[in-house]
Amino acid sequence: MTKSVQQGSIVSDAASVTDVVLAAMSRTENPRLKEILNALVEHGHAFLNQVKLSDDEYEQGLDFLRRVGLTCTDSHNEVVLLADVLGYSTLVKVLNNSMREDRTGGALLGPFFRDGSPHYELGASIVQEDTTATPIFVSGRVLNIRREPIQGARVDVWQASPIGLYENQDPDQPEMNLRGHFFTDANGDFHFRSLRPAGYPVPTHGPVGDLLRIQRRHPYRPAHLHFVVFAEGHDTLISQIFADDAEYLDSDVTFGVTRDLIGKFDRHEARSGPRPGQQAPYYTLHCEFLLAQGTPTRPVPPIK
Ligand SMILES: [Fe+2]
C-alpha cells in the first residue's frame, strides 16, 4: 500500500476509516457544526469498534431507525420518544440548565406541546368539559434570579387528563382541553384551576415500544404538569412539576424527574383547607419559577 493511496477517501483497513471520513468533512465552514459532526463520527466509529456489529445486527439497527421515522405522524413524534427513553433528552437538559441553585431546572419539552393554546385570565379553569374528577388549584410565582417578581411573564401549561391522556390523543376530550396560557400579575403571580393529572404510558405502538419490551421496562411517566415560561430579557424556561405522591416517581421511563422538579401536591378533604367552599376533595400545588437573564425563545412544537 503506497502512501498516496492512503490519502483521500480510499480506505485501507478498519483503523483508517475514521480519519478518511473526518478528512472528507474537513471543509465544513461552521466551526461549531464541524466540532459536533466530527465528534459524532468519532464516537460512532468508537461504538462500532467496541461492539463489533455483525452485518445482520447493523441492518437491524438501520431498519429500527427507518421504522422510527415511519412511525412519526402529525400527532406523534417517535424520534423525540426515542431520545427520551435513551436518556439523551434529559442529559442535554441537565447539562444546559438543570440542577442549579440560582434558577429553576429545565425539563423535557415532551412530545405534546402545542402552539395556539387558549389565553385565560388569572384564576380561570383550563378544564373545558363537565367532570367529577378531582380538582387541583395551582398557584405560582415567576421571579428573576434576584428573586424579584416578573410581571407579564407568559406561563403556558399543558397536562394529561385524569385518565392519563392529552387532549390530542383522546377523541373524547374537547380541543385544547387542559391547555392554556396566562400572564403574571404585578407580583409575578399566576393561578388557575385544573384537574389532578394522572401518570401515563408513553406510546408503545412503534419501535420504541418494542425496545422497552425487549429491555423489560415499563412505559410509564409519573403524574406531572408541563410549563413553559417566557419573559422579556430572560431565558425561556421549559419545566415539568411532578406530583410528590405519584406512582413511578422514581422510575420515569423518560428519566425526566430531577429533585428540584418535584412539587408538593397537597390533598384537602371537602369543605376544609384553603378552599373550604369545595364540596369534594381537592389538591393544591404551589410552584416557583426562577428565570435566568437571557433572550426568550419559543420552543418548536414537536406536533401540530
Ligand atoms: Fe407529559
Side-chain angles (χ1 to χ4, degrees):
M1 190 72 59
T2 65
K3 189 172 183 183
S4 62
V5 171
Q6 289 175 337
Q7 293 172 345
S9 293
I10 298 175
V11 171
S12 53
D13 53 25
S16 70
V17 177
T18 305
D19 286 343
V20 164
V21 176
L22 292 176
M25 306 194 311
S26 64
R27 290 184 301 281
T28 306
E29 288 186 355
N30 182 316
R32 175 61 176 158
L33 184 60
K34 185 175 181 181
E35 178 189 6
I36 292 168
L37 293 175
N38 282 4
L40 183 66
V41 166
E42 287 167 341
H43 288 268
H45 288 202
F47 157 74
L48 295 170
N49 278 315
Q50 178 188 330
V51 301
K52 295 192 169 39
L53 287 185
S54 69
D55 288 346
D56 280 352
E57 289 166 340
Y58 183 59
E59 284 172 19
Q60 280 181 40
L62 293 181
D63 189 61
F64 178 84
L65 293 177
R66 183 187 66 83
R67 288 186 291 125
V68 167
L70 286 176
T71 309
C72 293
T73 66
D74 283 349
S75 60
H76 173 74
N77 193 322
E78 190 84 351
V79 178
V80 172
L81 184 59
L82 178 62
D84 289 352
V85 305
L86 293 178
Y88 290 1
S89 305
T90 289
L91 180 56
V92 170
K93 275 291 163 198
V94 172
L95 284 171
N96 284 333
N97 60 7
S98 193
M99 312 292 279
R100 290 175 52 147
E101 297 282 313
D102 61 344
R103 63 169 97 167
T104 302
L108 309 179
L109 180 65
F112 298 112
F113 174 65
R114 293 181 72 190
D115 266 335
S117 73
H119 170 233
Y120 291 107
E121 297 299 321
L122 294 177
S125 172
I126 61 172
V127 186
Q128 294 193 18
E129 60 182 350
D130 288 337
T131 175
T132 56
T134 307
I136 183 168
F137 294 88
V138 180
S139 59
R141 178 166 284 180
V142 180
L143 304 164
N144 65 24
I145 54 174
R146 295 182 299 280
R147 299 194 66 84
E148 297 161 343
I150 300 176
Q151 182 177 5
R154 174 175 166 150
V155 179
D156 275 57
V157 60
W158 68 104
Q159 64 165 87
S161 71
I163 60 166
L165 290 171
Y166 289 82
E167 50 84 25
N168 56 315
Q169 296 177 292
D170 182 1
D172 293 334
Q173 290 184 53
E175 174 80 354
M176 294 289 177
N177 189 39
L178 304 176
R179 297 179 188 269
H181 68 270
F182 302 84
F183 291 95
T184 55
D185 65 16
N187 295 319
D189 289 338
F190 65 90
H191 58 289
F192 62 91
R193 180 185 189 281
S194 188
L195 304 174
R196 181 182 163 121
Y200 57 84
V202 296
T204 55
H205 62 285
V208 175
D210 296 339
L211 181 69
L212 294 175
R213 283 183 285 275
I214 289 167
Q215 296 176 332
R216 301 174 65 87
R217 293 167 62 184
H218 73 69
Y220 287 93
R221 303 211 62 212
H224 57 274
L225 295 156
H226 291 265
F227 293 94
V228 176
V229 186
F230 311 88
E232 279 302 315
H234 295 82
D235 284 339
T236 297
L237 174 67
I238 298 171
S239 197
Q240 296 183 25
I241 301 296
F242 296 89
D244 56 348
D245 59 353
E247 193 174 7
Y248 309 113
L249 187 68
D250 62 355
S251 62
D252 181 359
V253 68
T254 69
F255 310 102
V257 182
T258 51
R259 294 195 189 286
D260 55 340
L261 299 181
I262 300 173
K264 194 164 186 321
F265 279 49
D266 286 320
R267 180 184 162 89
H268 309 280
E269 296 307 320
R271 296 174 292 282
S272 69
R275 292 178 177 266
Q278 288 295 308
Q279 299 301 308
Y282 64 101
Y283 285 86
T284 54
L285 167 69
H286 184 75
C287 328
E288 250 186 19
F289 297 122
L290 270 64
L291 269 56
Q293 282 189 323
T295 305
T297 55
R298 182 89 184 153
V300 177
I303 57 171
K304 289 179 182 172

